[in-house]
Amino acid sequence: MVQRAGSADLPLHGGRVPPWLGDRMTKLGTIIAEAIVIEYGRDEFLRRLAHPFWFQSFGCVMGMDWHSSGITTSVIGALKRGLAPRSQDLGISVCGGRGRHSRQTPDELIAIGNRVGIDGAGLAATSRLVAKVDSAAVQDGFDLYLHGFIVADDGKWVVVQQGMNGDKRQARRYHWLSEGVSSFVDSPHAAIEGKGQGEIVNLADRRAAASRHGQLELLASLGPDRIVREVVALDPKVKPKEADQPLLPHLVMPAHHDVREENVNMRRLHATLSAAADRGPEDFERLLMVPGVGARTINALAMVAEVVHGAPCRFADPARFSLAHGGKDRHPFPVPLKVYDHTIAVMRSAVTKARLGLGEELEALKRLDDQARQLERYATGPDLKEIVAGEFRHSPEWGGRSVFGWEETGGSAEQKSLEPTPSNAHRQAR
């Protein structure tokens, strides 16, 4: 069964990911992907990618700007680079990308099909069809410029694609999943929490099964071009009945650059930090003896652990995960490269040992996540401004870096929190 799994609206930003961050995103993103496959299997990793809230949180924990359109491009790019040498072991390949790379998707899928013995030509046709639906059949003012196709060796897949509206300076991300599932997609409105964003069609809900079946038959019999003509002919004032329109996961990120307390579930943030303080020394005693791996790294690992193990309802506030490794534009704070590198080292050690059947370190990460959930009811702590101010104070010693350069000793967070100026958004949209 093919179905749209969700969407996201993001501010449209220009620019590029600097190599010092892109290389680390590739390493950490690949390790997280492998940890999920080891713990939960390939199908679950595909389901995560199909969930707009999890996808955004995944990009945030990797140090990308927490709310921008660039998360989509950078996450797809990082996974494509990182999973390529691991594709035969993990059985997952990433095709397409932004601009000209998106047009190479059919050829890449055919090559994968020839290598692993699946219908590459059929997947190539699916790639074109899904792109056609979001660019033509659904005319919402967003022109597609990115198409990522993640496929498993058994033929299951996820499509993540993004369009932009230059006039509104917004981007919209679309998620598609090749199967009907119960964890992240089936009745997601029962698990996702967030502010109401108006009426949204949810074809992923179990009550929409007849609608999905009918649409697939329509696609097969008429084709996308005929459907476009039929849609244009419809009266835009005619709306379907409310009872037929359950909610579909739809993420809306704000335009402001700074991370505000309203963007973060502070109860969960305090629980994560408390779990790191309580559980970290006990579970990571051996790791804490390694120079540089201390309390700050355990905080980051606790957030990574939630990305690996968390349930769908825990990703309603993706901004919270930006507090693991900051952001390249210094929001919520500069990327602490020493912390980031220690996070990668610990995760790589855990995944490498798990591959050999030694899962103690991955289990320790899971206990961090379990502890955080137990502490949510009563954990307290400082407000977000105080947490961010502390990060700025320690930024020089933690190797703080942004697109503006290295952090230097002295100066306040307020003096340093310069807003980035988006440039050439139409040509460099991410």
Side-chain angles (χ1 to χ4, degrees):
M1 181 182 294
V2 180
Q3 57 188 29
R4 173 84 69 77
S7 58
D9 287 349
L10 314 160
L12 182 64
H13 288 176
R16 301 284 181 179
V17 178
W20 56 263
L21 178 59
D23 291 345
R24 289 174 171 86
M25 289 184 68
T26 297
K27 293 174 183 177
L28 183 57
T30 303
I31 294 168
I32 291 175
E34 189 165 358
I36 293 171
V37 171
I38 290 172
E39 290 288 302
Y40 301 106
R42 291 184 312 198
D43 289 356
E44 184 61 23
F45 180 60
L46 296 181
R47 293 164 194 156
R48 304 285 182 96
L49 293 174
H51 198 285
F53 289 78
W54 184 89
F55 188 98
Q56 195 76 14
S57 302
F58 184 39
C60 286
V61 86
M62 290 196 286
M64 187 55 193
D65 300 333
W66 67 283
H67 68 149
S68 81
S69 58
I71 274 195
T72 312
T73 308
S74 59
V75 168
I76 294 296
L79 290 178
K80 186 170 186 177
R81 294 188 300 270
L83 293 180
R86 303 282 300 133
S87 61
Q88 293 190 20
D89 295 331
L90 295 180
I92 297 175
S93 302
V94 181
C95 305
R98 173 185 162 194
R100 63 182 177 83
H101 297 289
S102 68
R103 295 187 289 275
Q104 297 170 358
T105 307
D107 291 337
E108 292 175 323
L109 289 169
I110 290 173
I112 291 170
N114 292 335
R115 175 171 60 83
V116 303
I118 57 178
D119 184 6
L123 290 171
T126 298
S127 169
R128 295 188 186 96
L129 176 61
V130 172
K132 191 79 168 179
V133 169
D134 279 338
S135 63
V138 179
Q139 298 187 12
D140 54 4
F142 291 84
D143 298 323
L144 289 186
Y145 66 92
L146 178 146
H147 177 83
F149 198 110
I150 302 93
V151 61
D153 284 358
D154 59 3
K156 296 176 182 177
W157 53 261
V158 166
V159 168
V160 179
Q161 52 192 9
Q162 187 158 285
M164 68 172 173
N165 185 317
D167 294 335
K168 294 183 177 180
R169 297 198 57 77
Q170 287 185 331
R172 178 164 292 170
R173 187 172 68 232
Y174 310 89
H175 297 249
W176 289 77
L177 185 63
S178 65
E179 62 168 9
V181 296
S182 59
S183 61
F184 266 35
V185 181
D186 200 6
S187 298
H189 62 283
I192 296 300
E193 50 183 90
K195 297 180 179 179
Q197 302 293 342
E199 294 184 9
I200 303 167
V201 177
N202 178 14
L203 296 179
D205 190 275
R206 63 173 61 91
R207 292 171 292 179
S211 176
R212 289 195 299 264
H213 181 70
Q215 289 181 60
L216 288 175
E217 288 186 342
L218 190 65
L219 284 172
S221 61
L222 299 183
D225 293 326
R226 172 91 177 270
I227 291 176
V228 171
R229 292 196 296 271
E230 296 294 335
V231 170
V232 172
L234 291 175
D235 183 353
K237 296 180 180 179
V238 177
K239 295 183 179 180
K241 296 180 181 179
E242 184 176 355
D244 297 331
Q245 302 298 310
L247 295 177
L248 181 73
H250 182 67
L251 173 67
V252 178
M253 300 301 286
H256 56 81
H257 288 280
D258 56 315
V259 177
R260 302 174 184 175
E261 197 152 310
E262 67 198 53
N263 306 129
V264 175
N265 185 323
M266 294 301 295
R267 175 172 53 85
R268 287 181 175 159
L269 176 60
H270 290 150
T272 298
L273 298 179
S274 297
D278 295 346
R279 191 88 232 175
E282 178 182 339
D283 277 344
F284 292 91
E285 181 178 355
R286 202 164 38 82
L287 294 174
L288 291 172
M289 296 174 64
V290 178
V293 178
R296 179 59 181 84
T297 300
I298 302 300
N299 288 348
L301 285 168
M303 296 182 193
V304 171
E306 186 170 351
V307 169
V308 173
H309 298 289
C313 61
R314 301 188 64 82
F315 300 102
D317 58 335
R320 175 163 51 97
F321 296 90
S322 68
L323 295 165
H325 298 118
K328 73 176 182 64
D329 285 344
R330 303 176 84 250
H331 297 290
F333 47 80
V335 180
L337 295 187
K338 293 180 181 179
V339 173
Y340 205 138
D341 289 342
H342 289 131
T343 301
I344 292 172
V346 172
M347 289 297 298
R348 179 181 287 132
S349 172
V351 168
T352 300
K353 291 177 180 176
R355 275 195 238 119
L356 300 174
L358 306 173
E360 292 85 357
E361 291 177 15
L362 274 185
E363 279 299 313
L365 286 169
K366 190 175 188 305
R367 285 193 292 271
L368 270 179
D369 183 52
D370 292 339
Q371 180 84 343
R373 299 187 201 201
Q374 294 173 17
L375 292 172
E376 279 184 14
R377 290 173 293 176
Y378 48 84
T380 60
D383 63 25
L384 184 62
K385 289 184 178 179
E386 186 175 347
I387 293 172
V388 171
E391 292 287 340
F392 271 97
R393 282 195 302 271
H394 291 286
S395 191
E397 66 185 87
W398 288 339
R401 190 174 184 182
S402 69
V403 293
F404 305 108
W406 294 92
E407 293 300 302
E408 299 178 358
T409 304
S412 65
E414 289 77 11
Q415 292 172 329
K416 293 184 176 184
S417 58
L418 301 174
E419 293 287 350
T421 303
S423 60
N424 301 324
H426 287 72
R427 296 194 299 273
Q428 300 181 16
R430 298 173 304 172

